[in-house]
């Protein structure tokens, strides 16, 4: 089966955002006298939205709703100043997006990043390519792994779910793809391991972006 459309996860799949996310959150922690984390630790904090990132980064014995809400607002302020400092597309992404564009494959972005930051990042780092839909975290809508987002993309593009490839770098992405009846493909250059991707149901795992082309119509 060859696929007609691709949904991309953003953080850890198209863009390496880890340092800007880590620097922003570490500043919030440092300002409050809490321990900071090495950048690598954020690979496991990212993926389920920024509220979860903030909660995972807070000291275990300090996690409460009031502090988490305060730190979430502080994180948004910091990230608003830092989102484009060190972020960049992964190597090989531009070749993949060029090739998909040449094939007229429909492309969309689905991320648990807030909608505002998702749009900023796509505009700044991926403006050479057309994404038919960019869906980030929006108030009142469930985030991944709920399949509402990918189903909305399929509906808006008027392409059956089964004809979508879904490329992501985390268990959340694989579970989302399976729930939406799309082919889950794991990106091994991102934040998580091959083992995690396979255990979460990746049907394929690829080590370089253009390997995705093999599955595209
Ligand atoms: O959790 C986030 O904030 C974003 O993560 P995602 O782009 O991998 O969905």
């Amino acid at each position: 089966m060859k696929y007609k459309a691709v949904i991309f996860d953003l953080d850890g799949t198209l863009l390496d955002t880890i340092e800007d996310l880590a620097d922003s959150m570490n500043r919030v922690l440092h300002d409050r006298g809490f321990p900071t984390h090495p950048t690598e630790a954020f690979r496991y904090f990212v993926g389920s939205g920024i509220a979860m990132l903030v909660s995972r980064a807070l000291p275990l014995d300090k996690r409460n709703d009031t502090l988490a809400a305060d730190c979430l607002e502080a994180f948004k302020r910091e990230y608003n100043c830092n989102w484009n400092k060190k972020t960049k597309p992964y190597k090989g992404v531009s070749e993949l997006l060029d090739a998909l564009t040449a094939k007229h494959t429909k492309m969309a972005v689905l991320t648990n990043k807030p909608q505002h930051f998702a749009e900023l990042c796509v505009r700044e780092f991926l403006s050479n390519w057309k994404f038919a839909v960019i869906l980030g975290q929006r108030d009142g809508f469930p985030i991944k792994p709920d399949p509402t987002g990918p189903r909305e993309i399929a509906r808006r593009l008027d392409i059956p779910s089964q004809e979508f490839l879904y490329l992501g770098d985390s268990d959340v992405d694989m579970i989302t793809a399976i729930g939406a009846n799309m082919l889950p493909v794991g990106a091994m250059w991102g934040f998580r391991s091959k083992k995690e991707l396979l255990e979460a149901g990746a049907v394929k795992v690829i080590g370089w972006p253009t390997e995705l082309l093999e599955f595209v119509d």
Side-chain angles (χ1 to χ4, degrees):
M1 159 104 185
K2 292 275 189 176
Y3 293 83
K4 297 217 158 21
V6 183
I7 291 181
F8 293 101
D9 167 55
L10 192 60
D11 301 71
T13 299
L14 292 177
L15 298 181
D16 185 357
T17 52
I18 201 75
E19 287 188 83
D20 288 335
L21 289 165
D23 292 351
S24 302
M25 188 61 208
N26 276 336
R27 204 152 306 143
V28 172
L29 294 167
H30 178 263
D31 287 352
R32 286 158 181 76
F34 297 149
T36 58
H37 301 278
T39 301
E40 286 298 292
F42 283 85
R43 289 170 170 270
Y44 288 87
F45 297 165
V46 181
S48 295
I50 58 171
M52 187 57 87
L53 179 155
V54 168
S55 161
R56 286 170 174 161
L58 284 174
L60 262 178
D61 59 338
K62 297 279 184 329
R63 282 180 204 169
N64 64 61
D65 290 352
T66 313
L67 181 72
D70 167 61
C71 290
L72 177 59
E73 287 314 306
F75 173 80
K76 286 185 202 163
R77 286 193 297 274
E78 287 293 342
Y79 194 56
N80 209 29
C81 304
N82 289 308
W83 61 274
N84 61 354
K85 293 272 193 299
K86 299 175 187 166
T87 291
K88 53 188 175 330
Y90 285 99
K91 285 202 178 72
V93 161
S94 67
E95 289 85 342
L96 170 62
L97 298 178
D98 281 345
L100 290 172
T101 303
K103 285 172 175 281
H104 304 288
T105 307
K106 292 271 188 237
M107 307 192 285
V109 169
L110 177 66
T111 169
N112 280 345
K113 224 178 182 55
Q115 183 71 29
H116 163 70
F117 288 122
E119 287 176 14
L120 279 179
C121 283
V122 171
R123 200 179 316 135
E124 171 104 349
F125 301 109
L126 301 166
S127 63
N128 287 350
W129 301 280
K130 179 170 165 38
F131 293 93
V133 182
I134 300 164
L135 268 197
Q137 176 266 322
R138 302 165 294 169
D139 291 341
F141 292 88
I143 60 171
K144 300 183 290 186
D146 189 283
T148 300
R151 286 185 184 145
E152 178 178 335
I153 292 172
R155 205 168 42 248
R156 283 167 64 174
L157 296 188
D158 199 22
I159 297 173
S161 296
Q162 323 72 268
E163 295 180 14
F164 278 82
L165 284 170
Y166 182 125
L167 181 67
D169 72 311
S170 75
D171 55 351
V172 166
D173 293 307
M174 301 303 101
I175 295 163
T176 308
I178 293 164
N181 202 19
M182 299 176 176
L183 188 80
V185 183
M188 283 193 294
W189 54 86
F191 299 159
R192 305 290 180 83
S193 67
K194 180 178 182 181
K195 181 169 177 286
E196 173 179 312
L197 292 164
L198 289 171
E199 283 176 1
V203 171
K204 313 274 179 197
V205 286
I206 59 174
W208 187 254
T210 49
E211 288 173 40
L212 192 74
L213 295 169
E214 183 187 326
F215 313 113
V216 179
D217 201 2

